[in-house]
Amino acid sequence: MDFLTSLFSNFWVSLTGKLLLVALMIPLIGMVIGYAEMKLSAKMQARVGPYFAGGRWGWAQLIADGVKFFQKEDLIPDEADRPVFKIAPVLVLVSTVAILVIIPFGPGLIFRDLEVGIFFALAISSLSTVGVLMAGWSSGNKYSLMGGLRAAGQLIAYELPLVLAVIGSVMLAGTMSMSGIVEAQISAGYPYVVLQFIGFGIFMIAALAELSRIPFDMPIAESELVMGYLTEYSGFRFLFFFLAEFANMFSLSAIAVTLFLGGYWLPGIPEDVLAYAGPVILLAKTFLLVFTMIWFRWTFPRFREDQLQSLAWKWLIPLALANIILTGAFKVYL
Amino acid sequence: MTTTTPTKRRVFPGMGMVKGLWVTIYTMFRTIFRPGKYLATINYPKVKETPVPRARGVIALDQEACTVCMLCARNCPDWCIYIEGHKEEQAPSTPGGRVKVRATLDRFDIDYALCMYCGICVEVCPFDALFWSPEYEYSETHMGEMLHDMDRLQGWLETVPPDPELEK
Amino acid sequence: MVLDQDLVRHLSESSVSVELQTEDMTLNIGPQHPSTHGVLRLVARVDGERAFDVQPVIGYMHRGYEKLSEVRTYPQITTLVNRIDWVAGYANEVPFIVAAEKLLGIEVPERAQFIRLILTEMARISSHLIFMASYPLELGAATPLFFALRERERVLDLLEGVTGGRFHPNFNRIGGVKPAYGSGSSTRKVIQDLPAGFLAETRDAMDKVMEAVDELELLVADNEIILARTKGIGILPPEVAAAYGVSGPNIRASGVKFDLRKVEDYLPYHLFDFEIPVGENGDCWDRWHVRLLEIRQSVRIVQQAIDGIPSGPLQAKVPKVIKVPQGETYVRAENPKGEMGYYLVSNGNQGPYRLKIRSASFSNISILPWILEGVLVPDIIAIMGSLDFVLGDVDR
């Protein structure tokens, strides 16, 4: 034990360990959430879902899909802009991975406790917008171009409600550091969603839009634009986007859980148990939110682009601003 | 006259979406906990649905009954039945009797790559030589193997079900 | 310094406008596309998201039915004609056979007419359920697809039990429905009447279809997103619809109460009690809702017909080899997609001299350049889907 602690107190060893852990988590989370989506969507549609891969439960379906994607031919269209085409999926995946760094899995169980945790997370997640636009533009395909432009408009429009919704929680906690926010909720005794339900709702809607999931699925719009900005991607490049979507679902849900639902804390659990039970509680709450996202995806159709934009600019932003004003008043007078 | 007035059943804004969410979630729970009644799919290669007796799966041939009259080949809309036959003389049944001439089949092929499964050939055959059978699993990897020859068609005869009972 | 009044007025009236030089883009939607119901190609000139000139290009699926009919006999054409509107297979055969029977002047027995009517209404339910499945899918909702197709399987199983084929029943013969297999004097005549258990299964299936329609209505009808995507989109005024020859649920959704089942007598619809759903505004939501209500009315008709099937022969007395006498006639019927008509010219042979097919979807999509003027690209998909056409019907 002492050898391990002394080993990991070395900066470089612990850094490598953390990098490996994050790198392993992303495909694992992606596969688990992907499998959950396939099975849950199947049950909502009165069918079985993956069944044959891996015994009766089909748990190996996504592993099989991953292997399938890897062995496909790397097709780059002739008219595509090659460097930009190749970098775009990497950017989208990187922005997802970076968010995982600041999520507190337990008291002290955090990859890097930044003082400006939430600010960093939101800033890095906007890199995915650039990645999507690069993907749409460089594909050399009119459908991809339309998808990419729609994505640019949508993602930029929904950055604002995402950021503004978070501010209420930050104001209540008084700090931008993620573990600080959880500790503020622990000391307050209630999760912030009790006061910040408007902010929570806006954050979840804006998160769905940032992920380009139905009902905000216009950039992909499978029935209209074939696959939108993803049309020309195949093989492992598509796998990056695919994994990035599921991992991003996890990341944004984890941020929502930390900011609004109390993170790794449940009322009534003593502090020392939280060190072990914390990650489990966080994962349970995150999967609850992920389930809600899956539920919404398979029930609703998609909004049209201008309806999407008017929802963001005319409804969500004024609501978020009103939320901030109310939270400020609450903080000052109470 | 029924008019399609928009349903005034929305009590609060967003109620339509809540109703949709309710339908999806109860379907999910029903499919997970009572799959026997609510699961809509069967696990095909391991569990097979039996088709109804009248299902038009494949056509079976009874070579003994065929007299090479060519009615089926002539009436097929696709001309996918290929028949060749020759006349054989049979010995007279009583000594000094007439030599009977009987037509026998050399070749009777149905090309299932062309067949439209319409059943006209089975319907016009005057000698009960063709039958429908509900077998459907005979897909091949090569198009040429979709031409079923005489013996293969004779083999399908075992799968012909008895006639279904009729509604009173 | 006092601002000059003229200057102030000039400043307040002038505006700075920077005209962006944009080029429009020619977007080719289809022929291979998830939402065009087949191989329809739309050449759309779009400016950003707004399309201002959409021209459909059809003919990718032309199979030459009318030419094929010149060299085939009537039973063979019955087989081919199923495949025009493949979603509602049975409904395509009926007007063709009725046209031949009109020229021959024979009367179809009652039981055969009832069976034809039941199967036609099942074809209508089947076609509208496909619409219920595919239209929300084009708008983005994936779940109604499975609910609607699950119910459609029940109807197809019923069709298969009677006729032997799910999509292409081929069950009509001149003079009635198919009487039996085997046509020789000593053959074992497998009578093709309704199989045992058909009535009970049909009642059960119709109940389940009604429940599923209620479930689909709950899932889709009031959904705010569906309303935002389809209300007020693609409004089709009744005069324009009538001018272009649009028929079926499309024109009924625009408020015109016109249903060939009440006008023509190719099948005994006058014996049954059913309503004709009519829409108010003629937008996409109305077209969807009219078809939903039509499924309910079709179920009503089937339930009434099941309770009152007369017994009797399945086919009138016709000679073995049927030669339709010389003459010409036009019979039109209410296909699920609209009005389908057959103009039959005969000169006394075993097959027609000329068969002209007036298909519903061909006239329905002739309205596309008019209705898609100046709409956004997602609305193109919503409007096209709501017209419910099938390319086999368009191109024949």
Side-chain angles (χ1 to χ4, degrees):
Chain A
M1 255 336 265
D2 288 335
F3 170 67
L4 278 177
T5 12
S6 66
L7 186 66
F8 277 104
S9 57
N10 179 359
F11 172 70
W12 292 107
V13 175
S14 72
L15 178 67
T16 322
K18 286 180 187 176
L19 285 176
L20 275 178
L21 194 57
V22 171
L24 272 181
M25 271 178 81
I26 290 289
L28 201 63
I29 293 175
M31 284 200 296
V32 170
I33 297 185
Y35 174 71
E37 164 142 25
M38 286 186 185
K39 272 293 198 190
L40 285 173
S41 71
K43 299 300 180 190
M44 287 180 195
Q45 294 161 353
R47 47 186 186 95
V48 176
Y51 187 90
F52 289 105
R56 211 192 128 244
W57 296 98
W59 51 266
Q61 176 72 33
L62 275 178
I63 303 178
D65 273 339
V67 172
K68 175 193 83 165
F69 280 125
F70 260 104
Q71 53 96 29
K72 277 192 193 277
E73 181 186 352
D74 183 18
L75 288 171
I76 302 186
D78 205 20
E79 298 179 16
D81 194 349
R82 295 181 81 99
V84 179
F85 190 83
K86 290 183 190 176
I87 294 179
V90 174
L91 261 185
V92 175
L93 193 59
V94 157
S95 68
T96 308
V97 174
I99 300 182
L100 271 184
V101 166
I102 42 103
I103 296 178
F105 286 94
L109 285 179
I110 191 172
F111 284 106
R112 180 79 182 175
D113 190 10
L114 292 174
E115 270 300 318
V116 287
I118 186 63
F119 181 70
F120 164 79
L122 292 172
I124 289 274
S125 77
S126 12
L127 266 188
S128 63
T129 312
V130 178
V132 163
L133 193 53
M134 283 165 71
W137 186 269
S138 69
S139 291
N141 180 350
K142 279 180 197 158
Y143 287 127
S144 306
L145 180 65
M146 287 186 68
L149 292 177
R150 285 178 179 179
Q154 172 181 316
L155 295 174
I156 293 175
Y158 278 89
E159 286 285 340
L160 274 170
L162 196 71
V163 171
L164 291 175
V166 161
I167 291 183
S169 204
V170 168
M171 279 164 61
L172 281 180
T175 167
M176 278 204 274
S177 134
M178 297 286 266
S179 52
I181 297 181
V182 178
E183 280 157 21
Q185 290 181 70
I186 294 179
S187 60
Y190 56 84
Y192 282 156
V193 71
V194 172
L195 295 174
Q196 289 286 313
F197 50 90
I198 303 178
F200 180 58
I202 296 176
F203 186 88
M204 288 311 291
I205 296 176
L208 275 178
E210 285 293 316
L211 294 166
S212 290
R213 278 179 81 80
I214 294 180
F216 302 104
D217 168 77
M218 267 289 139
I220 300 183
E222 264 179 49
S223 61
E224 299 168 28
L225 300 181
V226 192
M227 259 315 246
Y229 61 89
L230 292 178
T231 314
E232 297 290 347
Y233 281 90
S234 62
F236 67 96
R237 297 185 206 284
F238 181 73
L239 188 66
F240 278 8
F241 277 113
F242 193 64
L243 274 183
E245 172 174 347
F246 290 129
N248 219 359
M249 273 168 77
F250 179 83
S251 313
L252 285 176
S253 303
I255 294 182
V257 163
T258 313
L259 290 173
F260 296 102
L261 291 179
Y264 54 80
W265 166 75
L266 272 181
I269 296 198
E271 280 284 332
D272 44 349
V273 179
L274 271 183
Y276 303 104
V280 177
I281 297 176
L282 181 81
L283 286 178
K285 290 184 191 175
T286 313
F287 277 119
L288 206 62
L289 286 185
V290 167
F291 171 75
T292 314
M293 287 185 178
I294 295 176
W295 190 16
F296 276 38
R297 178 195 175 150
W298 293 101
T299 311
F300 296 141
R302 62 178 67 100
F303 277 113
R304 212 174 54 202
E305 187 70 16
D306 57 327
Q307 293 163 347
L308 239 168
Q309 299 278 354
S310 66
L311 181 69
W313 293 99
K314 291 193 211 167
W315 290 96
L316 291 184
I317 292 184
L319 263 180
L321 290 172
N323 184 33
I324 295 177
I325 295 175
L326 282 175
T327 314
F330 172 80
K331 250 305 318 205
V332 167
Y333 289 116
L334 291 175
Chain B
M1 178 171 112
T2 321
T3 52
T4 62
T5 49
T7 48
K8 301 260 187 309
R9 304 188 297 244
R10 287 189 295 148
V11 175
F12 56 86
M15 180 149 187
M17 301 210 286
V18 171
K19 282 200 260 193
L21 288 173
W22 166 241
V23 170
T24 322
I25 199 83
Y26 79 63
T27 311
M28 185 180 98
F29 281 118
R30 286 205 300 205
T31 314
I32 293 179
F33 293 113
R34 301 273 297 273
K37 190 168 171 208
Y38 291 106
L39 187 65
T41 56
I42 61 168
N43 196 358
Y44 170 60
K46 301 188 180 171
V47 176
K48 298 189 190 179
E49 274 189 2
T50 43
V52 289
R54 269 192 205 167
R56 302 200 282 251
V58 76
I59 300 177
L61 168 71
D62 185 2
Q63 291 176 25
E64 288 297 311
C66 177
T67 63
V68 200
C69 69
M70 303 279 208
L71 265 176
C72 53
R74 269 184 273 162
N75 277 297
C76 174
D78 259 344
W79 308 303
C80 69
I81 304 184
Y82 306 108
I83 303 182
E84 283 165 22
H86 64 270
K87 289 200 172 33
E88 259 181 17
E89 290 185 352
Q90 281 180 333
S93 43
T94 55
R98 203 162 51 93
V99 172
K100 281 196 269 221
V101 172
R102 203 199 128 116
T104 20
L105 276 176
D106 281 334
R107 175 186 179 212
F108 189 108
D109 295 338
I110 298 184
D111 188 359
Y112 282 105
L114 289 177
C115 176
M116 278 171 37
Y117 297 89
C118 63
I120 290 183
C121 54
V122 180
E123 197 181 336
V124 301
C125 175
F127 298 104
D128 271 350
L130 289 173
F131 299 90
W132 270 116
S133 153
E135 270 297 314
Y136 54 92
E137 288 167 325
Y138 50 93
S139 26
E140 306 284 348
T141 46
H142 295 288
M143 197 72 137
E145 290 174 32
M146 290 299 281
L147 186 78
H148 289 204
D149 60 355
M150 238 166 38
D151 301 317
R152 199 158 172 202
L153 291 174
Q154 181 88 25
W156 290 120
L157 207 53
E158 310 155 338
T159 59
V160 175
D163 306 335
E165 286 181 18
L166 294 177
E167 188 78 50
K168 270 74 64 195
Chain C
M1 179 183 125
V2 174
L3 282 176
D4 190 2
Q5 287 293 1
D6 288 335
L7 182 64
V8 167
R9 204 176 319 120
H10 173 73
L11 282 174
S12 64
E13 283 169 7
S14 66
S15 57
V16 179
S17 66
V18 177
E19 281 292 334
L20 286 175
Q21 285 291 61
T22 53
E23 264 180 27
D24 49 2
M25 182 168 78
T26 303
L27 185 66
N28 205 12
I29 303 180
Q32 287 165 322
H33 193 269
S35 293
T36 53
H37 293 274
V39 281
L40 176 69
R41 176 176 170 208
L42 290 175
V43 182
R45 307 245 313 276
V46 285
D47 178 19
E49 285 265 330
R50 200 162 280 276
F52 54 88
D53 181 25
V54 178
Q55 295 295 330
V57 177
I58 59 176
Y60 286 91
M61 205 170 176
H62 182 70
R63 291 168 284 175
Y65 269 96
E66 301 177 1
K67 183 66 186 174
L68 279 177
S69 312
E70 292 178 7
V71 288
R72 298 272 191 290
T73 61
Y74 288 93
Q76 293 175 338
I77 301 178
T78 311
T79 303
L80 288 177
V81 156
N82 278 327
R83 286 150 167 91
I84 293 181
D85 174 10
W86 53 71
V87 184
Y90 194 78
N92 304 307
E93 299 175 23
V94 172
F96 171 67
I97 292 287
V98 169
E101 285 163 1
K102 253 171 115 168
L103 284 180
L104 271 173
I106 54 180
E107 176 148 341
V108 181
E110 282 250 329
R111 189 179 171 92
Q113 285 195 335
F114 267 68
I115 294 182
R116 275 187 189 171
L117 191 136
I118 292 173
L119 293 179
T120 308
E121 289 306 311
M122 285 190 191
R124 190 182 313 273
I125 296 174
S126 160
S127 169
H128 285 331
L129 279 174
I130 284 267
F131 172 76
M132 291 287 140
S134 64
Y135 189 54
L137 186 64
E138 287 165 15
L139 294 178
T143 325
L145 173 79
F146 294 96
F147 292 170
L149 288 181
R150 182 184 60 192
E151 305 312 320
R152 188 169 182 254
E153 283 300 307
R154 295 185 212 275
V155 174
L156 291 179
D157 281 342
L158 288 173
L159 271 173
E160 195 182 17
V162 178
T163 67
R166 284 154 49 106
F167 278 55
H168 305 303
N170 191 24
F171 201 56
N172 277 317
R173 295 288 176 264
I174 295 189
V177 293
K178 180 152 75 180
Y181 280 129
S183 55
S185 52
S186 61
T187 49
R188 41 186 266 268
K189 284 236 186 326
V190 183
I191 299 189
Q192 297 281 301
D193 208 336
L194 302 174
F198 179 75
L199 297 179
E201 275 175 23
T202 309
R203 286 195 188 100
D204 184 41
M206 289 297 129
D207 289 337
K208 296 230 170 66
V209 166
M210 281 294 242
E211 281 175 18
V213 164
D214 290 336
E215 197 177 45
L216 278 172
E217 192 171 15
L218 199 62
L219 180 59
V220 177
D222 296 328
N223 197 332
E224 275 78 9
I225 308 180
I226 295 258
L227 291 176
R229 284 301 294 271
T230 52
K231 271 236 175 268
I233 307 286
I235 296 188
L236 188 59
E239 311 82 39
V240 175
Y244 275 92
V246 173
S247 55
N250 297 324
I251 200 170
R252 287 200 278 277
S254 297
V256 177
K257 191 178 169 196
F258 176 66
D259 190 334
L260 282 172
R261 289 179 282 175
K262 299 266 193 201
V263 172
E264 296 273 325
D265 63 347
Y266 60 100
L267 281 179
Y269 281 106
H270 57 272
L271 297 173
F272 302 107
D273 173 35
F274 64 99
E275 295 170 354
I276 304 177
V278 172
E280 278 187 343
N281 305 321
D283 54 16
C284 294
W285 195 86
D286 274 335
R287 291 193 272 271
W288 179 86
H289 200 75
V290 160
R291 289 187 175 97
L292 186 90
L293 296 175
E294 277 190 10
I295 301 182
R296 291 204 175 117
Q297 297 302 319
S298 288
V299 168
R300 255 176 87 178
I301 297 178
V302 171
Q303 284 169 335
Q304 290 170 38
I306 286 284
D307 286 333
I309 296 188
S311 52
L314 287 175
Q315 192 186 22
K317 280 273 175 241
V318 286
K320 199 71 172 305
V321 170
I322 299 178
K323 292 201 178 182
V324 173
Q326 194 159 15
E328 54 191 42
T329 177
Y330 178 68
V331 171
R332 51 185 190 156
E334 182 77 18
N335 220 22
K337 306 277 185 297
E339 168 187 330
M340 180 169 212
Y342 287 86
Y343 187 75
L344 183 60
V345 178
S346 168
N347 59 357
N349 280 341
Q350 273 187 298
Y353 176 71
R354 169 89 170 98
L355 177 71
K356 157 89 179 108
I357 306 173
R358 189 263 188 217
S359 58
S361 306
F362 186 74
S363 308
N364 284 351
I365 66 165
S366 62
I367 206 157
L368 277 179
W370 185 90
I371 207 173
L372 292 180
E373 183 86 37
V375 298
L376 298 173
V377 170
D379 288 338
I380 295 182
I381 307 292
I383 297 173
M384 264 199 338
S386 73
L387 288 177
D388 193 24
F389 54 88
V390 172
L391 257 296
D393 208 13
V394 172
D395 287 336
R396 287 161 312 228

